[in-house]
Amino acid sequence: MTRLSLAWITASTLGATGLLGATALLGSPALAQSAAAAAKPVSIETMNDLALAAAVNVCELAVEQKLPVQNGVISNAKAITYVVSSVHGSEIAGTGKLEASQIVNGTIVQIVGRVKQGCYAKITAADKKFVDEVIAQFTAQANKQQPKK
């Protein structure tokens, strides 16, 4: 049994070299110029739209192509993190500048939550386990951060 942790996902899939590699692979003069320009934080609405589009993609790949949900979630989280980092200077409205690991972890949670709402009944037991573990870990972390009464 593999113990899943959001920190593990980040460390294994989106290290600095992974993000730099994606930047180098996708880099172009236009992207370099837009990254150099004063970046405007990405709105919460746009982040929600990106997470929804990613979840639809994950569901399509999982149900139709039998790609493990974890693989689809991680790939989409990396893509969204790349956009937020290169186009928006790693800033999401109301949060300030974030580390890539913070963006990817938050994005994973957002995508997984939408997968749970969208295609959970159609995915494999292993994929359901991944979804449930991510949600449980996020819930546990959120509960730890709640002030005690």
Side-chain angles (χ1 to χ4, degrees):
M1 180 170 144
T2 304
R3 182 74 180 131
L4 177 73
S5 119
L6 294 179
W8 173 83
I9 291 171
T10 301
S12 68
T13 62
L14 193 68
T17 53
L19 189 56
L20 292 175
T23 304
L25 180 65
L26 299 174
S28 70
L31 283 177
Q33 289 172 353
S34 68
K40 178 181 173 190
V42 64
S43 71
I44 299 299
E45 293 80 15
T46 298
M47 287 301 293
N48 287 333
D49 291 345
L50 290 170
L52 179 58
V56 170
N57 185 31
V58 169
C59 286
E60 176 69 19
L61 291 171
V63 174
E64 300 298 326
Q65 304 297 320
K66 307 303 181 212
L67 180 78
V69 166
Q70 182 173 353
N71 293 11
V73 167
I74 291 168
S75 178
N76 278 277
K78 288 166 99 175
I80 291 170
T81 300
Y82 172 77
V83 170
V84 172
S85 298
S86 65
V87 177
H88 299 281
S90 299
E91 290 190 53
I92 299 172
T95 65
K97 190 168 181 129
L98 300 170
E99 297 292 323
S101 62
Q102 293 172 305
I103 299 167
V104 78
N105 282 340
T107 302
I108 287 169
V109 170
Q110 292 295 314
I111 295 169
V112 166
R114 284 165 177 81
V115 167
K116 177 94 176 187
Q117 293 172 336
C119 64
Y120 188 80
K122 297 178 183 179
I123 60 178
T124 67
D127 288 338
K128 287 178 183 176
K129 181 178 177 184
F130 169 76
V131 167
D132 293 340
E133 286 180 357
V134 169
I135 291 170
Q137 286 182 9
F138 173 74
T139 301
Q141 289 174 357
N143 288 339
K144 282 183 192 176
Q145 294 176 357
Q146 294 282 334
K148 300 203 180 194
K149 295 180 181 182

